Amino acid sequence: MNVSAAIRLDHPFVLRPSDIATIWSVLAQAVGEVTAKATCRDSIEREFQSAEQLANYDNAASRAIRALSIKARSADREISANLGFGSGFWDGISLSVDGPEDQVIVVRDKLNALFADMKPWYAVICRIDFFYVIWPLLVFMWLVIIAMSDSSKPSRALSFTEAIRAASIAIVFFVGVGGSVWGLNRLRRRFFPEAVFAIGRGAERYEFDEKIRWVVIIGFAVSVLASFLGAFMVPAA
């Protein structure tokens, strides 16, 4: 009996040469002939006929892999598999297998186990949208300021000049907050990417980014958190 199985994983991944070798081996043994096609940064699609050929691709920054599809089909076309990593609008992993049930289950289970190992340690950070971090903090601060203000004092109406100045300050403030949100999200996408092809020079870029993540970003975050906690935990003299 022929069946179909599909997996769509919406989580980041790091694809290494060892993963390519495993994928190729599983598909070659359970399905048949395997080929791959990479969509690269220079708008060229490159085809690979073996795992070694793909693993040895130089993957220079100007020709970096942006998306990868791996296909396998048996000689009698009884079983086929399609595997995708990343795309223009979605950076997850997709797998579809069609064929005899026993073979489909083997491919699905082996590759699904591999996909779990490909998830990077910073997977949760990839999902952070700083809009939902900064704005709640601002609302909280605004509520604190209102609670601390003395509402019993009569308020004075602002003059036209004062109103213009206050409106200008508010506009600059909100533009600054919006720019901060945009900048933080851009930094997150740069240093905590969802689709990483650690092949060739891509592996060097990944290792460099790992140092930046741990030494600079995580180190800075820990120091800020320690200073913040210290300010509240140390009793005043």
Side-chain angles (χ1 to χ4, degrees):
M1 180 178 65
N2 284 358
V3 299
S4 299
I7 295 176
R8 185 179 175 90
L9 301 176
D10 188 21
H11 69 63
F13 64 86
V14 179
L15 182 65
R16 299 177 174 87
S18 59
D19 301 320
I20 294 173
T22 300
I23 292 170
W24 220 278
S25 175
V26 170
L27 294 179
Q29 292 176 15
V31 181
E33 182 182 3
V34 184
T35 59
K37 178 182 292 186
T39 302
C40 303
R41 187 175 185 178
D42 57 0
S43 301
I44 293 178
E45 291 187 342
R46 293 175 169 86
E47 296 186 0
F48 304 91
Q49 305 301 321
S50 68
E52 293 76 15
Q53 189 180 18
L54 176 55
N56 292 329
Y57 175 62
D58 69 337
N59 202 22
S62 60
R63 301 183 298 277
I65 298 175
R66 292 301 187 215
L68 179 69
S69 64
I70 301 176
K71 298 182 179 181
R73 185 183 296 273
S74 62
D76 57 6
R77 297 181 177 271
E78 186 178 13
I79 179 172
S80 62
N82 292 283
L83 180 58
F85 294 95
S87 69
F89 303 97
W90 182 70
D91 290 325
I93 303 172
S94 62
L95 170 67
S96 63
V97 190
D98 300 282
E101 184 173 359
D102 55 342
Q103 293 173 276
V104 168
I105 292 175
V106 168
V107 173
R108 183 200 62 184
D109 291 349
K110 287 185 176 181
L111 292 184
N112 200 29
L114 176 64
F115 298 155
D117 294 335
M118 292 170 59
K119 182 186 295 186
W121 63 268
Y122 58 79
V124 175
I125 301 177
C126 289
R127 300 306 182 205
I128 296 176
D129 186 339
F130 283 97
F131 174 86
Y132 298 105
V133 176
I134 292 180
W135 284 110
L137 291 176
L138 292 177
V139 172
F140 175 76
M141 292 173 59
W142 177 68
L143 293 175
V144 170
I145 292 173
I146 291 178
M148 294 175 63
S149 63
D150 188 357
S151 58
S152 62
K153 294 182 178 180
S155 57
R156 180 180 64 85
L158 297 177
S159 66
F160 179 76
T161 302
E162 291 173 331
I164 292 294
R165 185 182 299 113
S168 299
I169 293 174
I171 291 173
V172 171
F173 174 76
F174 284 112
V175 169
V177 171
S180 299
V181 170
W182 177 84
L184 288 171
N185 282 333
R186 186 175 178 85
L187 286 174
R188 185 210 66 211
R189 289 191 296 269
R190 167 61 183 84
F191 291 105
F192 299 94
E194 297 186 34
V196 178
F197 298 93
I199 302 167
R201 299 185 193 178
E204 299 174 4
R205 293 192 295 273
Y206 176 73
E207 293 300 327
F208 176 78
D209 287 347
E210 274 288 83
K211 295 177 182 178
I212 297 295
R213 282 188 283 267
W214 282 106
V215 177
V216 179
I217 300 177
I218 301 299
F220 175 76
V222 170
S223 65
V224 170
L225 180 61
S227 300
F228 179 79
L229 294 176
F232 283 90
M233 295 178 65
V234 176

